[in-house]
Amino acid sequence: MASNRSTRSQFLTLASVGLGGSIAAVAGVPAAGYLLAPATAEATFTPVALGPVSHFAGEPGFAPTAAPYVQDPAEPITSAGLAYVHSTGGSSREWLAKDAMFVVFSNRCMHVGCPVAATRIGFACPCHGGQYDQLGRRTAGPPIRPLDRFQWELRPGPGGDELWITQRWSVEIEDGQVRYFPVRAPGQPIDLPGPAFVSDLAYPPVTYREGDPPSA
C-alpha cells in the first residue's frame, strides 16, 4: 500500500535516519532495545461524543466547526483535545464513503504539534507558519504531512443522533486518495522511500495501533 515515490525532503529524512542508525549500531544492542521499547506501549483511543449532529450540519462553504472534547474524564487536562468537523453536504453515515456527511480533522499541526486554526481556505498554524488546504494537505511551511483525521460514527442520543469520534489515524493524500496509517507523532514521516518496513523501523507508530488501517 505504501508509495515508492520519493521527494527531496523524504530523501534527506532517510539520510538522517541512516546516520542515526549508524550511531545507534555503535552504541550496541542494549541501547537499540531501550529506544524501541516505547513502541510496544500502544494506547487505546476511547470513543468520545462531540455533540449533536445538528450542531455540525449546514456549514456554509468551508467553515469547520471546532469541537473540544475530553477523552478521559479522569484526566481532563492531559486528555483534552480539539477536532474540526467539516460538514461536506454529503448524505452517507459511513465515514469512508465518497459522500460521507463529515470529515473530522485533528487540530494538531504536523510540524511540532501546535494547534492549528481553521480558515476559509484550509488550516493555518500560528507557531511556524504551517498552512494546509481544505483536505488537510500541507501547502506551505514546515509540516511534514497532512493533518491527522478521526474516524467517526453517528450514535443515538437523547435529542437525536450524536457525532462520535472512535479512532485517530495519520494520513497521506496522493491524487485525492486518502491513505490511513497508525498514528505517528508530529514531525515524523509516514512513508519513507523503499519497503514499508523501513518507515516502521525508523518511526514506529506511537499510539492507537488497533487492527489494520482502513482503506477508502
Side-chain angles (χ1 to χ4, degrees):
M1 187 165 83
S3 169
N4 289 324
R5 187 174 299 177
S6 301
T7 64
R8 183 171 182 271
S9 62
Q10 286 178 326
F11 175 79
L12 293 175
T13 301
L14 186 58
S16 299
V17 170
L19 178 59
S22 299
I23 295 173
V26 174
V29 174
Y34 172 80
L35 291 173
L36 291 174
T40 63
E42 294 168 349
T44 298
F45 188 92
T46 302
V48 59
L50 296 183
V53 169
S54 58
H55 181 64
F56 305 105
E59 175 187 330
F62 185 81
T65 302
Y69 64 89
V70 174
Q71 194 176 1
D72 183 359
E75 300 290 343
I77 296 178
T78 58
S79 70
L82 183 70
Y84 278 108
V85 181
H86 169 48
S87 177
T88 66
S91 59
S92 178
R93 299 165 65 97
E94 299 296 326
W95 76 285
L96 286 177
K98 291 184 178 180
D99 63 338
M101 295 173 65
F102 302 108
V103 177
V104 185
F105 299 94
S106 166
N107 81 321
R108 185 174 64 171
C109 181
M110 290 296 101
H111 177 217
V112 293
C114 294
V116 302
T119 71
R120 290 181 297 175
I121 60 173
F123 301 90
C125 180
C127 293
H128 305 99
Q131 301 288 326
Y132 304 84
D133 66 11
Q134 295 179 1
L135 292 179
R137 295 176 297 195
R138 172 198 170 275
T139 58
I144 197 168
R145 64 175 198 266
L147 295 174
D148 287 348
R149 295 189 181 192
F150 289 104
Q151 184 174 337
W152 58 267
E153 64 183 46
L154 304 185
R155 298 182 180 182
D161 285 342
E162 294 186 341
L163 178 64
W164 286 66
I165 49 176
T166 59
Q167 185 62 288
R168 181 182 192 134
W169 300 99
S170 291
V171 303
E172 289 282 18
I173 305 174
E174 186 175 346
D175 298 327
Q177 181 69 30
V178 182
R179 295 182 295 139
Y180 296 85
F181 299 83
V183 174
R184 286 191 168 90
Q188 293 185 340
I190 291 175
D191 198 9
L192 293 174
F197 74 86
V198 173
S199 298
D200 289 337
L201 288 177
Y203 297 106
V206 292
T207 52
Y208 313 135
R209 188 164 194 170
E210 293 187 352
D212 295 328
S215 179

